[in-house]
Amino acid sequence: MRFFHLSDLHLGLKLQQKGMLEDQRHILEEIAALAGKRQPDAVVIAGDIYDHADPSAEAVTLFDAFLGMLRQAAPDAAILAISGNHDSAQRLNVYRGILSREHVYMIGLPPMRADEHVAQVTLEDGFGPVHFYLLPFVKPAMVRAITKKDEDEPRLSYDEALHRLLAREAVDTSARNVLVSHQFYLPTGVTAEDAPRADTEVHAVGNIDAVRADVLAPFDYAALGHIHKAWHWADGRACYCGAPLATSFSEADTVKYLREVTLEEKGTVRIERFALHPAHPVRILRGTLETLLAGHSEDYVRLVLTEDAQENRVDVRDRLRACYPNFLEIRREQLADRGPAVDFDETVEAVTSDPFELCEAFLQGELRPEERAELADILHAVEGV
């Protein structure tokens, strides 16, 4: 069984206010061309199809075109997709019955009633069945009705909610099983701060969305979405494939790959990667004004001046624009007598947007451990409403 593992398309994304739809179309066409060459049995999209829950008509049209490209390139491939935290779960959940007849499985909502279970799609090959469990992004409040032990039980954490939710599934570990999920999983010994997360990812208050990765143990492969940089563990069997395009300058100069997974007999998993080629790579270029003016690039770049530009700022921008027509940002390098590097046009004070950190700063770090836990629980409850 051979399938493509994709995630975090974020169709409709803007990079520094630059619309990326044409760049996304370019990379989706490359993926479809690879599907034509490789003829996978399935294409898995592990959430965050769109960048917003209310995507533009252009973003929806592009995803529709992508499905058409895949169907034309690999007509026998099943398409399996789940919603991520950026998507509207309800919108992606419509037309499930009709789409499934065309071997397109779009799952927007997790099980929420006692008679519901994680959506499962079974595909067959020469070694027998492969069971794909399609689990969209889950907030504890969404599944409370089927994971709580009694009415008086406190709100569950993400970790406990996901463990209880997956414990309801009768996973046949003698067969081959794949979990498709969009959550923040952490393997043993790894902290949230160690995870290779990009600037554009949504970080939950106090990292309360972290889920222990031992819950993935029953599955031969975990096709994960949510983290934009590629990251894997368990000999590659638990994997964030990463976004197919850089979503921020924190991913500058990063090679993106399409991940192809092959399941042979039970216990044998092979991984192959194919480099993707963006129309405009995201890069950071540093140098003096003279050095930068001697270069040229049509990539999406952040230009970092390593000296003070004595000329008129508008003139400097115009001169650099002639060399770098797609530059998105100019900054000054940090100097010994200055604070952090700032935007060329105005000095801005960087502040955190994490509500937990903002509350801690307001309270001047005087919280006791039990008070920090209570604060996190309150903010968690507000987020889960």
Side-chain angles (χ1 to χ4, degrees), residues 199-336:
D199 290 347
T200 45
E201 294 171 38
V202 176
H203 294 209
V205 176
N207 292 310
I208 58 172
D209 58 340
V211 178
R212 288 174 293 129
D214 62 339
V215 74
L216 308 177
F219 301 95
D220 297 82
Y221 184 81
L224 306 178
H226 194 43
I227 290 182
H228 296 173
K229 297 181 180 181
W231 183 35
H232 63 83
W233 61 92
D235 296 325
R237 298 186 183 208
C239 178
Y240 289 100
C241 63
L245 279 176
T247 59
S248 72
F249 279 107
S250 65
E251 298 173 81
D253 302 303
T254 300
V255 178
K256 296 290 189 172
Y257 293 91
L258 171 68
R259 190 174 178 91
E260 181 186 86
V261 181
T262 301
L263 301 180
E264 297 178 341
E265 66 270 18
K266 176 71 176 181
T268 302
V269 180
R270 291 192 293 106
I271 310 296
E272 191 165 356
R273 300 187 308 167
F274 300 91
L276 297 173
H277 306 90
H280 302 94
V282 175
R283 303 169 59 202
I284 298 175
L285 302 178
R286 289 181 170 82
T288 64
L289 179 60
E290 181 181 4
T291 300
L292 291 176
L293 288 173
H296 177 81
S297 175
E298 296 191 5
D299 298 340
Y300 293 141
V301 295
R302 169 189 287 170
L303 302 175
V304 181
L305 292 169
T306 57
E307 64 174 1
D308 279 324
Q310 301 300 321
E311 304 179 46
N312 179 278
R313 288 180 174 180
V314 174
D315 182 60
V316 168
R317 279 186 171 273
D318 289 343
R319 294 174 66 191
L320 287 170
R321 179 75 67 187
C323 301
Y324 306 95
N326 292 316
F327 87 75
L328 301 182
E329 185 179 55
I330 301 178
R331 291 192 175 191
R332 289 190 297 262
E333 188 74 88
Q334 178 178 344
L335 301 178

Side-chain angles (χ1 to χ4, degrees), residues 39-56:
Q39 291 298 309
D41 298 297
V43 176
V44 171
I45 306 173
D48 279 357
I49 293 170
Y50 300 111
D51 195 52
H52 299 289
D54 185 16
S56 67

Side-chain angles (χ1 to χ4, degrees), residues 14-25:
K14 289 186 177 181
L15 180 61
Q16 298 293 112
Q17 303 308 309
K18 170 67 176 179
M20 298 288 288
L21 275 174
E22 288 309 309
D23 294 84
Q24 292 173 329
R25 182 184 303 277

